[in-house]
Amino acid sequence: MEFKNPGLELKGAKILCVSVVAMVLLSSLENLREIVGIFAYWVMIFVPFILILARKLKTRSLFFSTENMEKQWRVMLVFFLLYMASFITSWLVSDIFAVSSFLKYSALAALLAILVVLQPSIDMIVKGLKIASVFSLVVLWGLILFRWQEGLHFYPGRFGTAVAFPGILWKVGIYLMPWAVLAVFKKANLKHVFWFIVAMSLIVLDGSRTGFLFTILIIPVMGLMSRFVIKEGGSFWLKAGCMLAVILLVSSVAKPILWQATNDWLTASSSSLDSSLPERANTAEYVLSADVTRLDMLLSGIYQAVDNFPWGGGVLSTTVPAYGIDMVIHMAYLQVLSDQGVAGFVGFSGLFFIPLLVFFKKIRGQCLDAKSLRANTIAIAIVMIYAGHGLFHPVSNTISEWGVVLLAMAVLINKSESVRV
């Protein structure tokens, strides 16, 4: 992409940066869509990028060539089309849910195409994640400080807000984690450690076990990438040990303080408690109940996938009775296989396999400098976090779930992205 006017380039980059930051922030506030409405929520994220693209086309300041794309991305398009075709077969055996999902994924694909053309940088994404992380923590602690019960939501051992329920709050922290860990491995200064603590605090306060698991995996993987691929930084074991010590410190201090601060006045109010969980008296009961339910979901999902093989039983057809309602199974790949058949499973899996393949090709080719390698490492980490997220959670067609992932994919498609650390 080339710009004829340096002034337009600078102004356009600032506008794009603001739009990316806003997209990341809105994605972290997933429950905001229930307040403003789903359509308005999509519009707030989608429209700014359409306007930026239209402005660049009008001023003829945008030049984009597919020569900058790896051949594998065209293969990814085939996987996507296969996944979309599975909605058609699903619609034939199911109902209108397939049409709704088809339209939403079409919109997400259009947004990715726009982002690929606009070329957001990983710096913009990281800036958005930093702002969203601080905003989420300030809102959470502010609700406690000012005792605004209606704005606070919690389950046993899990905290959230009215715009980011428990189970959502941790996601912005885990997406920031790859950058924070790489930054600490490069230089363990106060600024980098601060952002690691911020990201970890969101995961701890949310109480997400998926977030804990991913963090434990991210630290050694990013450490190895920093040492042997990007080839910067040192003292792997010392820095990894310090980060693990920070995790233990945040886990043993932050949540108990928050729980104690809310215990006296919040437990007496039913308005802040999730009404679907009145019988869960403590964290242990909550975790045990959730594990049993997840196991039942997986077993039922396997049986239903076999029964629906090979075409699938239709979108949202694979459900299990839980907590008084029919819930979709919390394993995206099994859910897609059972709902949309083999075609849907292969197509959906390919959306994550191709970016990983392209990343390994970039490493093997050794054609990128350290900054570009760092940027691509952060981007693929975000995509793989979401891919791993599907092992423990249902598939989603919402823009809040895919927002940061689409930005990361757009970075990966660019051959020469770099990042400041």
Side-chain angles (χ1 to χ4, degrees), residues 139-160:
V139 169
L140 180 60
W141 285 101
L143 291 172
I144 299 299
L145 180 63
F146 293 101
R147 300 193 173 189
W148 187 19
Q149 301 176 14
E150 291 76 10
L152 186 65
H153 289 252
F154 75 95
Y155 306 154
R158 307 194 67 173
F159 290 89

Side-chain angles (χ1 to χ4, degrees), residues 66-83:
T66 56
E67 294 179 359
N68 196 42
M69 298 170 60
E70 299 282 356
K71 294 180 180 179
Q72 287 82 356
W73 293 114
R74 296 178 177 85
V75 179
M76 182 176 172
L77 178 60
V78 175
F79 280 106
F80 175 73
L81 293 176
L82 183 63
Y83 183 53

Side-chain angles (χ1 to χ4, degrees), residues 25-266:
L25 180 59
L26 287 171
S27 295
S28 69
L29 307 176
E30 183 173 337
N31 295 106
L32 182 64
R33 64 186 180 183
E34 299 176 9
I35 300 175
V36 302
I38 296 177
F39 180 76
Y41 185 80
W42 278 70
V43 167
M44 287 190 295
I45 294 177
F46 214 113
V47 169
F49 296 104
I50 297 178
L51 295 178
I52 293 172
L53 180 62
R55 178 180 178 275
K56 290 184 179 296
L57 292 174
K58 182 179 180 180
T59 58
R60 297 183 179 181
S61 60
L62 177 65
F63 297 87
F64 177 76
S65 173
T66 56
E67 294 179 359
N68 196 42
M69 298 170 60
E70 299 282 356
K71 294 180 180 179
Q72 287 82 356
W73 293 114
R74 296 178 177 85
V75 179
M76 182 176 172
L77 178 60
V78 175
F79 280 106
F80 175 73
L81 293 176
L82 183 63
Y83 183 53
M84 296 298 283
S86 71
F87 286 109
I88 298 177
T89 59
S90 177
W91 173 69
L92 294 176
V93 299
S94 183
D95 50 33
I96 198 66
F97 286 118
V99 178
S100 174
S101 296
F102 183 91
L103 294 176
K104 287 183 178 180
Y105 277 111
S106 297
L108 291 173
L111 179 57
L112 176 59
I114 293 173
L115 292 174
V116 168
V117 173
L118 296 180
Q119 294 294 341
S121 70
I122 199 71
D123 279 329
M124 296 177 185
I125 302 174
V126 171
K127 182 177 293 185
L129 290 170
K130 288 179 177 179
I131 293 174
S133 297
V134 171
F135 179 82
S136 298
L137 282 178
V138 169
V139 169
L140 180 60
W141 285 101
L143 291 172
I144 299 299
L145 180 63
F146 293 101
R147 300 193 173 189
W148 187 19
Q149 301 176 14
E150 291 76 10
L152 186 65
H153 289 252
F154 75 95
Y155 306 154
R158 307 194 67 173
F159 290 89
T161 66
V163 290
F165 289 178
I168 296 174
L169 194 66
W170 70 279
K171 294 176 184 178
V172 63
I174 199 64
Y175 285 139
L176 179 61
M177 189 61 73
W179 175 88
V181 172
L182 273 182
V184 171
F185 274 118
K186 181 183 180 182
K187 187 176 182 181
N189 57 27
L190 185 60
K191 179 180 71 173
H192 294 160
V193 173
F194 168 78
W195 286 115
F196 178 81
I197 293 175
V198 167
M200 195 65 232
S201 295
L202 287 168
I203 297 170
V204 168
L205 294 176
D206 185 291
S208 170
R209 290 178 295 165
T210 305
F212 273 101
L213 175 62
F214 286 173
T215 300
I216 298 302
L217 293 175
I218 287 171
I219 291 175
V221 171
M222 292 296 105
L224 292 173
M225 288 295 301
S226 177
R227 184 67 180 274
F228 298 107
V229 178
I230 305 175
K231 297 180 179 179
E232 60 184 12
S235 305
F236 171 84
W237 292 110
L238 177 60
K239 292 178 179 178
C242 289
M243 281 187 277
L244 291 176
V246 169
I247 293 175
L248 293 175
L249 181 63
V250 174
S251 301
S252 60
V253 174
K255 184 177 290 186
I257 291 177
L258 187 60
W259 189 264
Q260 184 62 38
T262 60
N263 187 59
D264 294 337
W265 58 273
L266 199 55

